Amino acid sequence: MTQRNQKKGSGQWIEGIKSGGTVLLFVLPALIPMFIFWVYPIMRSIWLSFTDWDFMNPEYHFVFFENYVSLFGDSRFYDALWNTLIFTVGTLFPTIVGGLGLALLLRKNFRGSGLFKFVLFSPWITPTVAISIVWTWIFQPQGGIANIVLEFFHLPALKWISSSQTAMLSVIIVTVWKSLGYAMIFYLSALEKVPTELYEASSLDGAKKWQQFRDMTLPSISPTTFFLMIITMVNSLQAYDQIQILTQGGPSGSTRTLLYMYYQLGFQEFNMGEATAVAVVMIIITVFLSWLQFVGSKKWVHY
């Protein structure tokens, strides 16, 4: 009886190995690129953050936490952290609210609605570099379209990207303008999936439009809102092209975010060790913020 149980257990163990090998064979094509282009670069960056590599010399030395001590003692890091927070919040909420507003306006098909959707979505598929170059002309203090519009409404002209007081606002405007169409498309799809029976039943109960929007529309599209919040936040933390073209992190560092600080440390100052330390801090911040949103989503996201 014991030998029979041993043979049975051995057979199950062998079958388990075969089953696991089959599963591994199927997921291997996905695991290999993920390891090469994601896991290994992250591990390599973490390692380099503990070295004094200058990006030019192949030789470097292990300096332990020296780069992190230098980074946390640098006032530029805290300024960049604050700028990153302002930029992320300044792009996140207008993109979500604006995308939902546009979707609500365009969810009913009318003559020309397809053209409006195409025009609003086109900035998202246009290269950020090209968009930023056009916006540099729009933000020109003398003769720029932005100031012409302000003057038309009898408002004072602004220096836009030429002033440290308005440069961040300018970058936020460009980023939100580019992202609105992307959020709108997702919300249009989500609104189409909301059952019409809910609205019909609530109308019979005497619910007003605002009550329907608050109690039925928002909960029904909450998964889309959660998805867009995560994507928009990550995109904001990774923003580089528009900052490089519009302001180069200035004036006076007013638009220097953590990612742009990473670029300056690594490719302008050739301090790749401290630059990768910034990258590691960004990874930690991204993971922490995403975790917070996942935890908070349990209370307001309805699947």
Side-chain angles (χ1 to χ4, degrees):
M1 188 70 179
T2 303
Q3 293 179 349
R4 184 181 299 176
N5 290 335
Q6 289 178 348
K7 290 181 179 179
K8 184 178 180 180
S10 177
Q12 291 176 346
W13 183 71
I14 294 173
E15 288 297 326
I17 293 178
K18 290 181 178 179
S19 177
T22 303
V23 172
L24 181 62
L25 187 64
F26 278 103
V27 300
L28 201 59
L31 289 177
I32 292 176
M34 186 179 72
F35 180 82
I36 295 175
F37 298 108
W38 188 65
V39 176
Y40 174 75
I42 290 178
M43 295 297 103
R44 183 66 174 173
S45 296
I46 294 174
W47 164 255
L48 289 175
S49 70
F50 295 103
T51 69
D52 62 353
W53 186 39
D54 61 2
F55 190 68
M56 304 298 290
N57 193 336
E59 297 181 359
Y60 53 84
H61 304 90
F62 194 70
V63 295
F64 297 95
F65 292 96
E66 187 175 311
N67 289 323
Y68 291 93
V69 172
S70 176
L71 181 65
F72 293 133
D74 190 346
S75 62
R76 294 181 303 172
F77 169 75
Y78 297 101
D79 292 338
L81 185 62
W82 176 248
N83 290 336
T84 303
L85 176 63
I86 293 175
F87 180 75
T88 302
V89 174
T91 54
L92 177 61
F93 292 102
T95 299
I96 298 298
V97 175
L100 177 56
L102 291 173
L104 291 171
L105 291 173
L106 297 174
R107 63 175 172 174
K108 292 183 179 181
N109 292 323
F110 55 88
R111 188 173 182 180
S113 62
L115 178 62
F116 279 108
K117 294 174 185 177
F118 170 76
V119 171
L120 291 170
F121 183 70
S122 59
W124 178 257
I125 58 177
T126 304
T128 306
V129 173
I131 287 175
S132 301
I133 292 174
V134 173
W135 276 93
T136 57
W137 301 334
I138 295 174
F139 285 140
Q140 288 296 319
Q142 301 295 330
I145 296 176
N147 278 340
I148 291 176
V149 173
L150 290 178
E151 291 174 3
F152 177 80
F153 290 102
H154 303 287
L155 296 173
L158 300 177
K159 293 183 179 180
W160 297 108
I161 57 177
S162 302
S163 171
S164 58
Q165 296 179 349
T166 54
M168 179 60 77
L169 174 63
S170 304
V171 179
I172 289 174
I173 289 174
V174 175
T175 306
V176 171
W177 177 79
K178 178 178 172 61
S179 305
L180 279 176
Y182 177 79
M184 176 196 69
I185 292 297
F186 277 93
Y187 274 128
L188 282 172
S189 176
L191 289 171
E192 289 177 356
K193 297 176 183 177
V194 180
T196 56
E197 293 82 4
L198 292 177
Y199 298 109
E200 294 173 356
S202 62
S203 297
L204 294 174
D205 292 335
K208 298 180 180 179
K209 292 292 184 181
W210 166 247
Q211 292 173 324
Q212 291 178 345
F213 176 75
R214 181 192 61 191
D215 299 330
M216 286 175 288
T217 304
L218 286 180
S220 298
I221 64 173
S222 58
T224 300
T225 301
F226 175 62
F227 167 78
L228 287 173
M229 286 180 65
I230 295 292
I231 295 299
T232 305
M233 182 198 70
V234 173
N235 287 339
S236 297
L237 291 172
Q238 296 178 344
Y240 170 79
D241 292 349
Q242 60 268 52
I243 297 175
Q244 172 65 19
I245 299 298
L246 290 168
T247 63
Q248 293 81 49
S252 303
S254 59
T255 58
R256 183 193 294 119
T257 60
L258 286 176
L259 183 63
Y260 201 81
M261 184 179 180
Y262 162 81
Y263 162 76
Q264 289 181 321
L265 286 172
F267 300 98
Q268 291 183 352
E269 301 179 15
F270 300 105
N271 186 354
M272 190 56 69
E274 192 168 337
T276 50
V278 174
V280 172
V281 171
M282 286 186 62
I283 292 173
I284 295 173
I285 292 174
T286 303
V287 172
F288 176 71
L289 292 178
S290 299
W291 174 78
L292 278 182
Q293 293 192 49
F294 271 100
V295 172
S297 68
K298 296 179 181 179
K299 297 182 179 180
W300 61 272
V301 177
H302 306 277
Y303 292 99

